């Protein structure tokens, strides 16, 4: 079919990959950081002039990178809101990221609709500080004049696609991006304009949600632009995950997501019901404490980095000589314990060694993520293998403990620009569908990620004993917190 490109506009940079449309082989790559600070933002990291994304895109695409490309897919940071006026101009800088200014607005919205379960039933998620719907509430309360001028709402990938197409009258988005807004339901496949009004104070135009293989349009030069999607969905698509697969992301906080054929409505708010980039669903469970647990333990032990912590942990044995760390250092979201602190249990004279505490930190972090996996499993989500993402996934202590604690095969993909690759795969799908060479229901079969595969093997029973030890301490310390 030729060649296609995928661009991923992350919070800090733009990456572009140019791929063979048939195989997915990466032929060329481009990269550019976003401008450090936009003049309009006043230096606030939660306010970004969207023009910065375009400048970065142009720089990343320099040197003829896109020569010969027939279609482009766009992935971009999620939760960014670009408010436009009736003429299509930005009302104010985009609101991006996990904006702490909006925490009160999130609680406000939960109460305004009648509680967490009402939101879960309405759109499959409970408002969090980062979500677009919450940022609209903050805008209405804090900048009422800007809220009043807001006539159109776009997310980052919607805005970039619209710009690439020359700002046409028609504005589009995809299911994946829409499912994270807090005003579109993955279960019904429809917007909830009443929730926009509840948050913003009035109605606003929303982009048309089109299918995963649909094109958003074609540039005057004949370059096809696919619908685009959020970074999470693009990365899942780039990895090639399907039914039976879960992805565990190890950042400061952690997340567990899996492919599922239907939307999950969870009144507790532990599951966020997102849609993926293929027409399936992507339920997500988040933990507040992942790699921050490891960093805190390394600091406590006077170690310079996580590699040193991992080396030390490998001198201990599974179960950490009875030490159990409940890693709720920032409170916790799964289970819902927002105001608690971490707990270290099982202290005996023989367990009071640095290597056992190091091992307990890794086991506590992974058991917390295993709890999140169990939330999905309890709702009927099949998990046959787990993809482990993030730099910490490369640590020997993580790789030694994860298969036995998760109780399943663990796949550690080679580092790559999976969101950009997913965007390129979407472009190839839209190109093939437009030419009649690909079915709109079946994405192109690209080669999978190069990965290391780890099996629990004979350690499975040991891992389950460690999990039971963790669960016993959690239940004793926080009875009934994990209601599955």
């Amino acid at each position: 079919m030729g060649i296609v490109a995928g661009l991923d506009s992350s919070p800090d940079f733009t990456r572009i990959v140019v791929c063979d449309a048939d195989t997915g082989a990466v032929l060329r790559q481009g990269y550019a950081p976003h401008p450090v600070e936009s003049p309009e933002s006043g230096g606030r990291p939660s306010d970004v002039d969207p023009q910065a994304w375009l400048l970065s895109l142009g720089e990343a695409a320099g040197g003829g990178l896109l020569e010969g490309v027939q279609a482009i897919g766009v992935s971009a940071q999620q939760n960014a809101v670009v408010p436009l006026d009736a003429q299509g101009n930005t009302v104010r800088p985009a609101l991006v990221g996990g904006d702490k200014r909006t925490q009160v607005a999130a609680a406000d919205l939960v109460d305004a609709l009648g509680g967490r379960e009402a939101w879960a039933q309405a759109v499959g998620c409970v408002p969090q500080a980062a979500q677009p719907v919450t940022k609209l509430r903050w805008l209405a309360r804090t900048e009422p004049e800007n809220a009043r001028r807001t006539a159109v709402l776009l997310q980052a990938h919607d805005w970039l696609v619209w710009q690439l197409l020359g700002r046409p009258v028609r504005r589009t988005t995809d299911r994946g991006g829409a499912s994270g807004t807090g005003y579109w339901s993955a279960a019904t496949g429809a917007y909830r304009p009443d929730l926009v009004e509840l948050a913003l104070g009035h109605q606003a135009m929303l982009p048309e949600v089109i299918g995963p293989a649909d094109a958003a349009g074609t540039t005057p030069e004949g370059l096809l632009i696919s619908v685009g999607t959020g970074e999470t969905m693009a990365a899942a698509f780039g990895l090639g995950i399907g039914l039976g697969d879960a992805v565990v992301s190890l950042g400061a906080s952690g997340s567990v997501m899996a492919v599922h054929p239907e939307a999950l409505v969870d009144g507790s708010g532990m599951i966020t019901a997102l849609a993926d980039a293929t027409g399936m669903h992507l339920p997500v469970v988040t933990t507040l404490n992942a790699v921050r647990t490891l960093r805190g333990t390394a600091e406590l032990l006077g170690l310079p980095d996580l590699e040193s912590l991992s080396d030390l942990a490998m001198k201990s044995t599974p179960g950490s000589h009875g030490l159990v760390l409940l890693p709720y250092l920032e409170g916790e979201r799964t289970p819902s314990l927002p105001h608690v602190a971490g707990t270290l249990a099982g202290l005996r004279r023989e367990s009071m060694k640095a290597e056992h505490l190091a091992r307990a930190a890794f086991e506590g972090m992974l058991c917390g993520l295993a709890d999140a996996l169990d939330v999905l499993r309890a709702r009927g989500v099949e998990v046959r293998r787990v993809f482990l993402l993030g730099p910490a996934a490369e640590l020997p202590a993580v790789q030694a403990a994860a298969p036995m604690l998760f109780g399943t095969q663990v796949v550690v993909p080679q580092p790559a620009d999976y969101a950009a690759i997913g965007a390129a795969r979407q472009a190839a799908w839209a190109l093939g569908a437009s030419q009649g060479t690909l079915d709109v229901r079946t994405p192109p079969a690209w080669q999978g990620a190069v990965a290391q595969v780890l099996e629990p093997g004979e350690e499975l029973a040991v891992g389950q004993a460690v999990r039971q030890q963790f669960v016993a301490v959690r239940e004793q310390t926080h009875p009934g917190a994990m209601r599955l």
Side-chain angles (χ1 to χ4, degrees):
M1 285 196 302
I3 59 173
V4 294
L7 71 87
D8 174 39
S9 182
S10 291
D12 300 316
F13 56 79
T14 299
R15 288 194 190 278
I16 301 177
V17 296
V18 176
C19 300
D20 181 288
D22 293 311
T23 67
V26 176
L27 307 175
R28 303 191 290 270
Q29 300 184 61
Y31 167 86
H34 292 332
V36 175
E37 187 178 302
S38 93
E40 290 180 44
S41 74
R44 290 189 300 272
S46 302
D47 290 341
V48 175
D49 182 353
Q51 292 297 327
W53 306 333
L54 276 185
L55 291 170
S56 175
L57 191 166
E59 189 179 337
L65 184 77
L66 300 180
E67 193 173 326
V69 164
Q70 295 168 272
I72 293 179
V74 177
S75 153
Q77 60 181 301
Q78 286 155 244
N79 295 324
V81 184
V82 186
L84 303 179
D85 63 19
Q87 287 72 47
N89 301 312
T90 50
V91 169
R92 69 177 314 284
L95 290 153
V96 303
D99 194 337
K100 290 188 176 179
R101 295 177 296 179
T102 58
Q103 286 174 341
V104 172
D108 242 13
L109 279 176
V110 172
D111 291 343
L113 196 65
R116 297 169 68 85
E117 187 150 1
W119 278 97
Q121 293 290 339
V123 287
C125 59
V126 178
Q128 304 291 332
Q131 275 185 303
V133 71
T134 304
K135 289 168 179 168
L136 297 183
R137 180 72 154 198
W138 177 88
L139 191 66
R141 293 293 168 86
T142 313
E143 300 177 4
E145 179 56 25
N146 283 336
R148 189 189 62 75
R149 290 174 54 219
T150 298
V152 182
L153 296 172
L154 297 180
Q155 294 182 84
H157 77 84
D158 308 334
W159 187 85
L160 284 165
V161 165
W162 184 57
Q163 294 291 329
L164 289 172
L165 290 171
R167 298 163 59 105
V169 172
R170 183 193 190 211
R171 301 177 184 92
T172 60
T173 193
D174 84 307
R175 298 167 64 254
S179 66
T181 59
Y183 43 81
W184 185 87
S185 166
T188 64
Y191 280 117
R192 287 288 302 264
D194 58 314
L195 298 183
V196 174
E197 187 165 356
L198 179 69
L200 187 63
H202 61 85
Q203 294 290 345
M205 285 185 65
L206 302 169
E208 178 188 348
V209 180
I210 61 176
D214 290 345
T218 306
T219 68
E221 298 76 31
L223 186 64
L224 183 142
I225 309 293
S226 66
V227 57
T229 194
E231 264 187 328
T232 298
M233 299 78 191
F237 197 38
L239 279 167
I241 68 168
L243 289 172
D245 293 333
V247 176
V248 173
S249 294
L250 300 176
S253 54
S255 69
V256 177
M257 64 181 178
V259 178
H260 198 57
E262 58 190 31
L264 296 178
V265 174
D266 172 45
S268 74
M270 283 196 290
I271 298 174
T272 298
L274 300 179
D276 79 346
T278 72
M280 300 285 276
H281 294 269
L282 207 61
V284 179
V285 181
T286 305
T287 68
L288 294 182
N289 300 279
V291 175
R292 65 164 40 99
T293 304
L294 305 183
R295 294 204 184 283
T297 307
E299 288 170 15
L300 179 66
L301 294 173
L303 298 172
D305 49 41
L306 297 187
E307 288 74 18
S308 302
L309 185 71
S310 173
D311 292 343
L312 186 61
M314 294 299 283
K315 294 176 182 174
S316 182
T317 53
S320 310
H321 274 244
L323 278 190
V324 175
L325 177 64
L326 300 184
Y328 307 151
L329 308 183
E330 300 281 330
E332 190 45 84
R333 185 170 164 189
T334 306
S336 181
L337 297 166
H339 306 300
V340 304
T343 302
L344 184 63
L347 279 172
R348 292 186 173 85
R349 178 67 190 86
E350 62 272 19
S351 65
M352 295 176 74
K353 292 183 179 177
E355 60 263 34
H356 302 323
L357 178 56
R359 177 91 190 194
F362 283 96
E363 290 179 345
M365 174 188 77
L366 292 168
C367 283
L369 289 160
D371 278 352
L373 270 171
D374 284 349
V375 171
L376 294 177
R377 285 174 167 140
R379 295 298 305 277
V381 177
E382 185 182 13
V383 179
R384 290 195 301 270
R385 60 178 179 169
V386 169
F387 285 74
L388 204 54
L389 300 186
E394 303 287 333
L395 296 172
V398 169
Q399 296 191 3
M404 67 168 91
L405 295 176
F406 293 159
T408 190
Q409 183 186 83
V410 170
V411 179
V412 184
Q414 186 175 297
D417 301 322
Y418 290 110
I421 291 167
R425 190 179 178 204
Q426 187 193 71
W429 195 4
L431 181 64
S434 73
Q435 295 173 341
T437 56
L438 285 177
D439 190 318
V440 295
R441 294 163 299 182
T442 310
W446 280 12
Q447 56 201 19
V450 178
Q452 184 179 3
V453 178
L454 310 168
E455 300 283 357
E458 296 174 359
E459 299 276 285
L460 183 58
V462 176
Q464 296 317 292
V466 174
R467 280 270 354 251
Q468 287 166 11
Q469 184 176 261
F470 178 90
V471 169
V473 172
R474 189 195 67 221
E475 280 301 301
Q476 185 177 8
T477 312
H478 306 290
M482 276 298 288
R483 292 189 181 89
L484 298 178

